[in-house]
Amino acid sequence: MSTLPRAAGAEPVTAALSGVELTAEAAGDRRVRVTTVEPDPALPLRLSSPGLVVLSSKAYAEKDAVSPVGTATGPFELTKVTGTTAATLDRFDDYWGGRAQASGVDAKFIADGTARTNAMRTGGADIAEAVPVSQATSLDEVARRETGTTRTTSLLLNTQKGAFKDPKARAAAREAIDTSDLARGVYEGHADPGVGIYGPALTWAADKRVKPAGRAGAAAADGTSVTVATYDNRPELPEVAQVLKQQLEKAGFKVKLEVREYSRLESDALAGKFDAFVSARNTMLDTGDPVSILAGDYTCNGSYNLALLCDKKVDRAVAEAESVTDTAKRQDAAMTAEAAVLGTGAVVPLVHQRIITGVGAAISGVLLDPYERGLVGVGTRR
């Protein structure tokens, strides 16, 4: 139970709880009562967020440290973590969802996409997640699985300070970008050109999309200097940034690129130290609710607002969407709010990603999840 109050009081708050005030208290054996200050139709979805994983109280035994080893729930028990490089999980026979078919999982976290693919190709790994598009053809067709995801790669423009505080400069940047070139070139056809915050993996979005209104006209760049930052944990992003640099410079901007490992970049990005940020964001990962991503990423109080956007029309549209209970009407309201966000020019959707997963010939039951939450499940086996 202590997990939820800790998450709600965290700074910054986890994205799933952005804009939500809640309390949690024991309500009998294995029961918890969660209370929100305002009615929240998406609460069950929020509580399913990976960022709100339930840990037992012993996970918090050490001050200012949390250990998930032996303290979480699921078909596998986390028994060992080796820094940020590896983890060992053993089958948990008492899992409420059924006994896993695999006896355990040895996970290795390999940041380099080529090395990750090589491990798959040479038999060092049974499953390789997020194979870079440049390595896709090195896997035979049987081993290569491609899945449309709800992950959108976007250019977030700093709306609070610097060159892109001016909406006309944001419009100039948007008009300079050729998203089809990124999909064909950098992603080699393994992505779709950006059409909005929500991509084609959300099959309902296309028919409900609302055209942005009130966009500013583009001003001439006239040699304006901007810094574009991104991270190299996802191998395509530095190449995306390089192509954007060329496109923006062709439009008259002067562009400096800043590329780091994500953990060394996030705090500076949230603090607005860059003019623009290239980010790959799964719009449904945090909650599975389309409105939550808007509240967390594009409102004045959003906890992951990389564009530093604070717009009354956007906040109002998001708030209205958050209050809608009916699923179809909530989707409609989300698309209206998406149009409000796009109308500010704070974000330029670049591509909607497809994830390539390497799967060994002897492996079955791998979870190919558009939300990128699952990979190995109860039915995964060799």
Side-chain angles (χ1 to χ4, degrees):
M1 183 195 70
S2 62
T3 300
L4 286 175
R6 283 175 179 266
E11 184 61 42
V13 69
T14 183
L17 296 180
S18 182
V20 177
E21 295 182 50
L22 61 77
T23 58
E25 59 184 0
D29 185 38
R30 294 181 178 273
R31 294 171 66 90
V32 176
R33 178 178 290 107
V34 180
T35 305
T36 58
V37 173
E38 299 290 338
D40 182 19
L43 182 62
L45 294 173
R46 295 185 192 281
L47 298 181
S48 73
S49 170
L52 293 178
V53 61
V54 175
L55 305 177
S56 66
S57 58
K58 68 179 182 180
Y60 307 97
E62 294 184 24
K63 186 178 181 181
D64 298 325
V66 180
S67 174
V69 175
T71 63
T73 62
F76 299 96
E77 178 184 0
L78 190 59
T79 57
K80 182 180 179 181
V81 175
T82 306
T84 58
T85 62
T88 302
L89 302 95
D90 295 333
R91 180 169 53 211
F92 178 51
D93 290 333
D94 294 329
Y95 176 52
W96 61 267
R99 186 174 183 268
Q101 295 189 32
S103 61
V105 180
D106 293 319
K108 295 181 179 179
F109 308 115
I110 304 172
D112 183 83
T114 300
R116 200 161 56 241
T117 309
N118 285 341
M120 173 72 211
R121 193 171 57 247
T122 59
D126 293 309
I127 305 169
E129 187 181 26
V131 172
V133 294
S134 62
Q135 297 294 313
T137 56
S138 70
L139 297 178
D140 62 50
E141 191 172 343
V142 174
R144 189 172 67 242
R145 314 286 176 84
E146 184 169 303
T147 310
T149 73
T150 53
R151 182 174 295 276
T152 297
T153 297
S154 301
L155 180 67
L156 287 306
L157 303 177
N158 187 336
T159 61
Q160 289 297 306
K161 53 188 175 183
F164 294 126
K165 183 177 180 180
D166 182 356
K168 293 183 178 180
R170 300 199 292 271
R174 184 188 72 247
E175 292 184 4
I177 295 170
D178 182 351
T179 59
S180 296
D181 187 40
L182 291 168
R184 288 192 310 265
V186 177
Y187 289 89
E188 300 179 17
H190 296 288
D192 300 295
V195 293
I197 294 171
Y198 311 109
L202 291 176
T203 54
W204 52 264
D207 292 336
K208 294 174 177 283
R209 182 153 277 120
V210 177
K211 186 177 181 179
R215 279 177 163 171
D222 289 335
T224 300
S225 295
V226 296
T227 299
V228 177
T230 195
Y231 44 100
D232 55 11
N233 305 63
R234 291 187 173 272
E236 291 84 16
L237 294 188
E239 189 176 351
V240 168
Q242 185 62 49
V243 173
L244 290 177
K245 179 178 187 292
Q246 296 169 1
Q247 293 181 352
L248 291 171
E249 287 181 340
K250 185 177 180 180
F253 290 95
K254 291 182 179 179
V255 182
K256 175 186 176 183
L257 294 183
E258 183 90 24
V259 180
R260 303 180 205 161
E261 197 273 335
Y262 183 80
S263 64
R264 299 178 54 245
L265 193 70
E266 183 186 64
S267 59
D268 283 348
L270 289 169
K273 293 186 178 181
F274 310 113
D275 296 299
F277 190 78
V278 180
S279 174
R281 183 87 159 101
N282 192 318
T283 58
M284 301 292 279
L285 173 67
D286 295 323
T287 64
D289 169 44
V291 181
S292 299
I293 185 78
L294 303 179
D297 290 20
Y298 300 107
T299 61
C300 296
N301 294 321
S303 61
Y304 196 66
N305 189 347
L306 293 169
L308 301 181
L309 179 64
C310 189
D311 183 277
K312 291 181 179 179
K313 291 182 180 179
V314 169
D315 276 25
R316 185 163 54 249
V318 173
E320 289 175 359
E322 287 181 313
S323 68
V324 179
T325 303
D326 178 80
T327 298
K329 292 180 180 179
R330 191 175 180 89
Q331 292 170 350
D332 291 335
M335 300 311 292
T336 298
E338 179 202 56
V341 173
L342 295 176
T344 68
V347 55
V348 183
L350 302 175
V351 296
H352 304 293
Q353 292 184 222
R354 304 174 203 156
I355 193 168
I356 301 170
T357 306
V359 180
I363 306 301
S364 63
V366 173
L367 304 177
L368 302 175
D369 181 10
Y371 289 12
E372 298 179 275
R373 289 184 173 192
L375 188 62
V376 176
V378 171
T380 309
R381 62 177 297 172
R382 180 186 284 114

